[in-house]
Amino acid sequence: MPSTEPPTEPSSADSGLLSPGRAGSAAEEATSDAAYVRGMLDAEAALTRAQAALGLAPASAAAAVTAAAADSARYGVRDLALRARSGGNPVIPLVADLTAAVAERDPDAGAYVHRGATSQDILDTAAMLVAARALEPVLADLDGAAAGLALLAGQHRDTPMPGRTLTQHAVPTTFGLKAAGWRSLVLDARERLAAVRASLPAQLGGAAGTLAAFKAFAEADGTVLECDPGIRLLAAYAAETGLAEPALPWHTLRTPIADLAGALAFTAGALGKLATDVLLLSRTEIGELSEGTGGGSSAMPHKANPVRATLIAAAARQVPALASVLYGSLAAEDERPAGAWHAEWQPLREALRLVGGAARDAAELADGLRVHPHRMRDNLDATHGLIVSEHLAAAFTALIGRGEAKAALARATRRAVEEGLELDEALLEEPALSGVLPKERLRDLTDPVNYLGSAGELVDRALRRGTPFHPSGD
Amino acid sequence: MPSTEPPTEPSSADSGLLSPGRAGSAAEEATSDAAYVRGMLDAEAALTRAQAALGLAPASAAAAVTAAAADSARYGVRDLALRARSGGNPVIPLVADLTAAVAERDPDAGAYVHRGATSQDILDTAAMLVAARALEPVLADLDGAAAGLALLAGQHRDTPMPGRTLTQHAVPTTFGLKAAGWRSLVLDARERLAAVRASLPAQLGGAAGTLAAFKAFAEADGTVLECDPGIRLLAAYAAETGLAEPALPWHTLRTPIADLAGALAFTAGALGKLATDVLLLSRTEIGELSEGTGGGSSAMPHKANPVRATLIAAAARQVPALASVLYGSLAAEDERPAGAWHAEWQPLREALRLVGGAARDAAELADGLRVHPHRMRDNLDATHGLIVSEHLAAAFTALIGRGEAKAALARATRRAVEEGLELDEALLEEPALSGVLPKERLRDLTDPVNYLGSAGELVDRALRRGTPFHPSGD
Amino acid sequence: MPSTEPPTEPSSADSGLLSPGRAGSAAEEATSDAAYVRGMLDAEAALTRAQAALGLAPASAAAAVTAAAADSARYGVRDLALRARSGGNPVIPLVADLTAAVAERDPDAGAYVHRGATSQDILDTAAMLVAARALEPVLADLDGAAAGLALLAGQHRDTPMPGRTLTQHAVPTTFGLKAAGWRSLVLDARERLAAVRASLPAQLGGAAGTLAAFKAFAEADGTVLECDPGIRLLAAYAAETGLAEPALPWHTLRTPIADLAGALAFTAGALGKLATDVLLLSRTEIGELSEGTGGGSSAMPHKANPVRATLIAAAARQVPALASVLYGSLAAEDERPAGAWHAEWQPLREALRLVGGAARDAAELADGLRVHPHRMRDNLDATHGLIVSEHLAAAFTALIGRGEAKAALARATRRAVEEGLELDEALLEEPALSGVLPKERLRDLTDPVNYLGSAGELVDRALRRGTPFHPSGD
Amino acid sequence: MPSTEPPTEPSSADSGLLSPGRAGSAAEEATSDAAYVRGMLDAEAALTRAQAALGLAPASAAAAVTAAAADSARYGVRDLALRARSGGNPVIPLVADLTAAVAERDPDAGAYVHRGATSQDILDTAAMLVAARALEPVLADLDGAAAGLALLAGQHRDTPMPGRTLTQHAVPTTFGLKAAGWRSLVLDARERLAAVRASLPAQLGGAAGTLAAFKAFAEADGTVLECDPGIRLLAAYAAETGLAEPALPWHTLRTPIADLAGALAFTAGALGKLATDVLLLSRTEIGELSEGTGGGSSAMPHKANPVRATLIAAAARQVPALASVLYGSLAAEDERPAGAWHAEWQPLREALRLVGGAARDAAELADGLRVHPHRMRDNLDATHGLIVSEHLAAAFTALIGRGEAKAALARATRRAVEEGLELDEALLEEPALSGVLPKERLRDLTDPVNYLGSAGELVDRALRRGTPFHPSGD
């Protein structure tokens, strides 16, 4: 029976204490227990309305169920959670409570609650509604992050910084190219999430996916239908939920869950790349970036920690493992599996939340990121010119041949490192180059700014990629 | 500032709606947000008491902190969760609230709250306290499951049933041996969890694990100490928390977390074996087992679903992936990592809960499991005697040689399968065996009860393994 | 220096002994060490040809590199593997060997080997070539599996069998619907793999992704180019490899790897659903399906094991975890990561192989699957009519009201179970139904064949979905 | 039939090309296909010898099997791999080949090959032998790494360096403490691996784990045995293999595999911590560490890459996921599972190899690690004294009260940062401290060397932990 008291949460309720990444985010609220109850009630109401639309239930029943379902505060989540234990899913107690609430309004309508459906129809549909709703702020935050990164990429199209491979300085690159790369991953993630969101299907199949009960009720009621009532109901129900119509009931054809898993793991990883770079480039010794609002430390008040990047990085470590559980649940037996289905619920919710929090943090990070070009320049000079040795090798090879060029460069490099010289100074004293290369040309060659390759063109090219169509464009 | 209102949980709070496996369990409550707050407050109080014990803080401060920390209802978890976002962990706002609460009691004591510690000292210690407390009911439930399975193994020591390999009947076994095997896994899990639980250490290191601030405060206060105050404090603090003393601060030496990960994944998998077998043997066509209290179905009221086994199986699918995140966090950089630490919190809690729920379900399952020896016997006969063909092959080989035995058995098997005979009937008409084997001996050889090998002895042997020392009993 | 002896494999070489799922498959050969060497040599040759096409290298050099690269037997994989250890990747020693081989043919051409490239350009491009080549037989095998399943779905469109949920009989379904569902997952997998395959990009970026060395060589050589040589080379190189042109060098923008991870995990899981069902329905007691060619057992020669399904199920357990490693590597630092990149190589290869083997097994399984409709019918009757109780409830409700219907059905069900009656017999004696329902109508209602709902229509609908465009067909 | 030609490896053979971390390592060779064949042959020979020892087989048969099994080169791994496909495991074809080889030596002995056993007995025992053999060099390499790290910890007990939290300088620490921490993780890993290795059991159970066939053969042969022949054989067989005797056949009680999974994931993660730190501290801007022998770059010959750490880091990313597959296989159905067992083979082998390679790299890394104390000192000074602000806060608080101390420090910090002063200079001009703190005392307080807390004592304490008992030393 539904509680008539306002639900009071027990001491076992979680409020995000261990999840600062998502605490207070729109995605958190959209994936709460209350949001799942909301989704289940929406599914039940849609089912009765769809039946009414086909003449399989009276319009008054649809109205009563819709009204009773609208009052979601009536259904206490903790009470449902505890009663879910006996049958293994929360739909069973919710149907009991909803039936009672409907019967209060219209005694004849109670029989139409959940009529012909199975628990999984309702919980899977609710999960799709929750996912669709939770992804809306995620897509918006990814748009925000992409916009912030586009700005950075444009502003710093030609800002030189060290390119680093295997932790070591390699050759110069630009911060613009780095930011354009981050943005391209964010756009890739956005495309994948938006495509999955647009395809999320309603679920309806009845006890074992044949839609048999709907036909049986229609026959028993003597309802005359032109074509198969199950198939027609599938379409009507999907339309009522606002979700896509599935080709088949997908109780154990878990494509929608697996597609969500992949897109969420992708997004967490894509944002993880951004976070990983920000964390490295914010290190005290590197100092090329800092977060707009660094988190304080309880022990060291002067520290400005890269908290946004930290929380994103934490999400990126978790979501791939959660996705592996969801991919594993594809191998679901029979018409409803004993375990594989139940193992999806919490990992899917947690993945949505972690990605929701990470997207919010990424948007804030991109928006507030402070770039320090002078530190980039200092760091470019930290190896005394060695960062352009590839450039020099190319130039010298054309002048004095490959072997000589390599030897001359090696000698000068060794002197520069051992004697603490700038590489250009060492090269000026290099006999093999004497008279071959004017001093000014050498200075040009050793300036990192002159060895940025196609970085600028690549930034331009990357920025021409527009923000994709926004399927939640309402 | 601490809330003075009773905390009201927001709509974003979770109450276990998607986790029927653990809803209402002792492990759930022991791992709630409130339990973590409790653990953090216990850690803070222990720290001040330990400092007081060494003369590094006044006894009155220890009393004030202990008293203020005892009133955990004062600290609203949702409020803490939201304020945790800025610094990335919940200790920072909690310390602020605790300090205010202490200062209310004793204005001079506020300065001793969290003195010398870092957030990670408190949160890691809280996690160890939570784990230790959550494992207590888990160990008890594993004991319960082991006891139930021991009873079943003893009762059914000689109950024959089909042994199955790669889904097919192989040779007979006994239900006793199966139950004894399940129990041995439960005991293995129990040993691993109990060993980890007994070694869970307190965490104390200060800002970067050198315990420097404690020494600095001692020096600044002019406190005279015989030996290193940091090392002494480590021991005193551990003693106050009731946890083990660590050899080193383990901010980024995550052995305790990894050991928990392994023992929890082991336990989930061990219980998963029990669940997997129960699910198979409960299938409608097999019917050798049924759960004591089957869950109802919303669509088919006559069905009795193996819900306990289903929820255990769902847990077994999730915990290994969560453990992989925790093992991954071993590779934590520096003196506190930006992400690897934060990525541990929720997976560790979720693994504790899933295992807690699975252990409870396993205890109930073992306690109420109904065994159907007649169905086992029917199933043994389903292959018309083929299940003992290995027995026959051994016997015939000794009588008529390997080649002849093989050929005779193959002929009779073919006839039995094609003509729907019992294998012993077909063998009686087999010329190669004519006169070699008395009819009664043949009947004996084809009775599955006479081909149980060492099953009984193995059960006895397995049951001699006692329940290990119960570390939570002290 | 390249070996001139035919390479002899050492005792450490693996030949698939622990991987019967993929041993001897086309995907195995397409992903072998030799295939990776082939891919790396193809990448090097394509790079020089692309440079020659743009006037950045002499045509003779392109010819020499192409010729030397064609002789892949010259490059001993074990030798390369051992020499890879010092620099951490196999491109470094391969470039040395290739340069020597080119110089043998044309001393001037040696300088153009690998010119301007970095190891990752070559290894990433090779991985894409390997993936594209390995996916060709995978897609063909998925087509084969889908065709076999379409045939089964059509043949058994109306073959009734028990629908099962949470291991128990629920309501009837058809084998056609089950096979159509399997096929829909196979088609989903095929679409995802084909889409990824069509987008696999070449990789070119030079030392840190700016393409700087190519420009430097052009400048040093005095080559006049209308537009940016790096950008032009990117297009020319992609064209030479036959792969897609990337928008940006993707050294640390790992979208292609992550997309492969998702599609491979999806495919393994999708085939795992088929395998899981076949394994269950082949169990001795169920016997509704059997594999065309069952594997023998070393201990029990009479057993016919579902080996194809077993090996697919084994793959489905592994690939999601491998995919989680690949998704994890999205968070790759800098312009080339120290570890995240290296951690991709073996998991990607193994995932390709596991999926390749599973697709082959699925095609064989679908092709040879034997369906036993009489066993399905026997199993439908195993619950004495209870499998249609939902049907009866709907019919009775219309006749005598919901409450009465429920009570009457419950009474009859109890009698049927307790007294071993068929449900229709018990119902005939049920007073509440007396005179309400003619005997013939009751017989019809209790026949599972009359409770298949929309199964047939759903099969038709599913089979209308065509095999998608075959991108490897062009 | 066994090949009489020397086995030639096909082009599909792998030689470690994509696994530079383990190429050429002892662990690689110990886990090769050939090593598994060796293990299976050892298991078969042990089984016949054990039977002979109990009078269940003639001594001549034991001798013939042992001799035929010794010639492992006779058995071509590729041939076995291909023939394994039909039955799904390599034991089936190997038994055929071994039987033929035995019969060549002694026609009567053929019947005793594999007598009473099942494939899983042989393959599981082989896996344990392979694991035990592969772990020997791993343990030795961990000992080497621990010794190298102990040396570093001792040498640098008092070498100050920045302690870093969330990427930022926090307070000073010592390199000795860092190295001691790494060593403690290595010792933890060593203990876990050694404990698992010492407990690895032989596997023997026959077709379904009841040891029935052994009893049947004994009965058929008329052998008189005092006690249960299965149980006795279990002990004798274990003794012959050198492995531990299991309490029960463990075909689906996978404790040994799960324990290996945990210990291997732990070890990979523990070494991953070392690698992660080395990679960070080797970064160009930080420069506190460098690998003894840096790997070259194909594009930039001057670069010295931290290749050993890179390859360890790559292993640490993979093993937890492989372990999750192995933990997942605990939930194995029946007496032999269809998939869960097969899914263990390759992940276990790969985990052993990755850990084997990582241990070798760790030993080399620890041995050759170059420490740069002057860079550590430079980095300590990079924040102009802010790294000791915690020290100053403690001291000032004692002198001028908490509020004043905090304000004074904040003012001076701001000035230091904004005006580029050293913090002690700014403090000297701070009015609140004027006359309170002598200049020399301030200099002392701001010297990082004077804020190392208990680091030295912690190093001493950690180094007192000895190398544990070496179980492979026998």
Side-chain angles (χ1 to χ4, degrees), chain D residues 267-339:
Chain D
T267 306
L271 299 177
K273 161 62 176 165
L274 163 64
T276 300
D277 280 343
V278 170
L279 288 171
L280 282 171
L281 300 178
S282 304
R283 291 182 75 85
T284 303
E285 289 86 357
I286 299 177
E288 299 180 0
L289 298 177
S290 48
E291 287 197 4
T293 54
S297 153
S298 71
M300 291 150 295
H302 69 277
K303 274 184 61 180
N305 290 320
V307 175
R308 304 278 73 76
T310 294
L311 297 177
I312 297 170
R317 286 172 165 267
Q318 296 174 71
V319 182
L322 297 171
S324 75
V325 176
L326 298 175
Y327 277 120
S329 283
L330 276 169
E333 78 272 13
D334 296 332
E335 278 64 49
R336 181 162 325 125

Side-chain angles (χ1 to χ4, degrees), chain A residues 28-43:
Chain A
E28 177 186 61
E29 190 166 341
T31 57
S32 67
D33 276 1
Y36 272 86
V37 171
R38 173 78 271 133
M40 291 188 276
L41 292 167
D42 289 346

Side-chain angles (χ1 to χ4, degrees), chain A residues 393 396-398 400-408, chain C residues 99 109-115:
Chain A
F396 297 172
T397 296
I400 58 175
R402 200 185 196 185
E404 262 307 286
K406 207 170 167 183
Chain C
T99 303
Y112 292 94
V113 172
H114 196 71
R115 192 159 103 136

